[in-house]
């Protein structure tokens, strides 16, 4: 991802929150057999001060990705949406796309079976926290025993990236009246409405105020 200083997202806390809010990640590896991509949920390793994420892959994806043998790329995609030039003023303009994304690169640490089981529990808790009656992985002995059997079919990993490129393109290069118009259309009921993206734009505008 090409970086643009105007849209750079460099705050580790903001990147962590991006991951918490958008945990469905794309994992890309350049292997001996060519490029490979898989999709898995990730969580922030809250026990570490530095940016670090935890996840797992199902076997045999660990072999397909050659996990631990080389660098891989994890792509986090936040809210995004089409921005029509019809939302601007009369000055010349072209369409664009607003988005928030982060690319994390590094060699992953392969977790032990015990660590992997704990990470699976964290993943379950992260998503079940929003459910009215959460079903924890370890709360019921039968569920815990079932999860213990299944975890042998997964490989856990921790990625503490050595390179991070994060971008938050939210019309920061546009005057206030255009930003207001874009937000209004994203919050509307048109074909390109995207309330989550509008909310991020409002937050970004408040930070700049």
């Amino acid at each position: 991802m090409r970086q643009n200083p105007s849209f750079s997202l460099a705050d580790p806390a903001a990147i962590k929150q991006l991951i918490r809010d958008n945990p469905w990640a794309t994992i890309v590896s350049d292997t001996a057999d060519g490029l490979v991509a898989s999709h898995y949920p990730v969580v922030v390793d809250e026990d570490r001060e530095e940016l670090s994420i935890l996840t797992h892959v199902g076997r045999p994806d660990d072999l397909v990705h050659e996990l631990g043998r080389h660098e891989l790329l994890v792509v986090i995609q936040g809210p995004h949406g089409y921005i029509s030039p019809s939302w601007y003023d009369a000055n010349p303009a072209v369409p664009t796309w607003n988005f928030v994304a982060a690319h994390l690169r590094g060699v992953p640490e392969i977790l032990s079976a015990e660590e992997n089981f704990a990470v699976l529990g964290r993943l379950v808790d992260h998503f079940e926290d929003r459910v009215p009656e959460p079903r924890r992985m370890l709360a019921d002995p039968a569920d815990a025993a079932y999860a213990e059997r299944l975890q042998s079919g997964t490989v856990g990993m921790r990625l503490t990236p050595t390179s991070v490129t994060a971008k938050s393109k939210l019309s920061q290069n546009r005057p206030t009246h255009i930003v207001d118009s874009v937000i209004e259309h994203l919050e509307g009921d048109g074909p390109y409405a995207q309330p989550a993206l509008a909310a991020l734009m409002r937050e970004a505008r408040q930070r700049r105020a």
Side-chain angles (χ1 to χ4, degrees):
M1 178 168 59
R2 181 180 61 85
Q3 189 54 280
N4 183 323
S6 299
F7 306 131
S8 176
L9 180 62
D11 181 7
I15 297 172
K16 286 182 179 181
Q17 193 59 48
L18 173 67
I19 298 169
R20 295 186 190 103
D21 294 339
N22 304 275
W24 187 243
T26 301
I27 301 172
V28 182
S29 297
D30 187 4
T31 73
D33 294 324
L35 290 172
V36 175
S38 297
H39 309 273
Y40 285 96
V42 301
V43 293
V44 174
D45 189 348
E46 305 290 359
D47 294 335
R48 297 195 170 196
E49 183 175 347
E50 74 270 36
L51 175 61
S52 186
I53 60 173
L54 296 163
T55 188
H56 71 284
V57 300
R59 299 180 189 274
D61 274 2
D62 59 319
L63 301 180
V64 171
H65 281 269
E66 302 172 346
L67 284 187
R69 291 171 51 185
H70 49 65
E71 189 177 66
L72 56 72
L73 170 69
V74 175
V75 179
I76 306 294
Q77 176 67 68
H80 60 93
Y82 177 77
I83 308 300
S84 169
S86 69
W87 303 348
Y88 294 174
D89 53 25
N91 292 318
V94 295
T96 190
W97 207 278
N98 278 5
F99 65 92
V100 182
H103 292 183
L104 284 58
R105 293 172 50 188
V107 179
E109 170 194 353
I110 307 304
L111 303 179
S112 68
E114 293 77 14
E115 291 172 317
N116 181 36
F117 191 66
V119 168
L120 292 174
R122 289 194 193 188
L123 282 166
V124 171
D125 287 345
H126 179 79
F127 296 104
E128 285 293 310
D129 281 345
R130 302 184 183 184
V131 177
E133 297 181 8
R135 184 167 174 174
R136 310 294 180 182
M137 193 174 80
L138 302 179
D140 183 276
D143 284 344
Y146 181 66
E148 183 69 44
R149 292 195 300 272
L150 288 184
Q151 74 89 21
S152 63
T154 68
V155 175
M157 70 176 189
R158 174 185 289 108
L159 179 67
T160 303
T162 53
S163 173
V164 177
T165 304
K167 198 169 182 178
S168 178
K169 183 177 177 293
L170 301 172
S171 299
Q172 297 97 320
N173 57 332
R174 296 290 179 178
T176 300
H177 71 282
I178 288 182
V179 174
D180 289 341
S181 176
V182 171
I183 291 174
E184 180 181 349
H185 283 86
L186 290 172
E187 290 177 334
D189 57 3
Y192 297 112
Q194 178 53 275
L197 182 60
L200 286 181
M201 290 184 64
R202 286 191 180 280
E203 293 174 8
R205 185 178 59 181
Q206 290 172 357
R207 287 194 298 269
R208 295 197 303 271

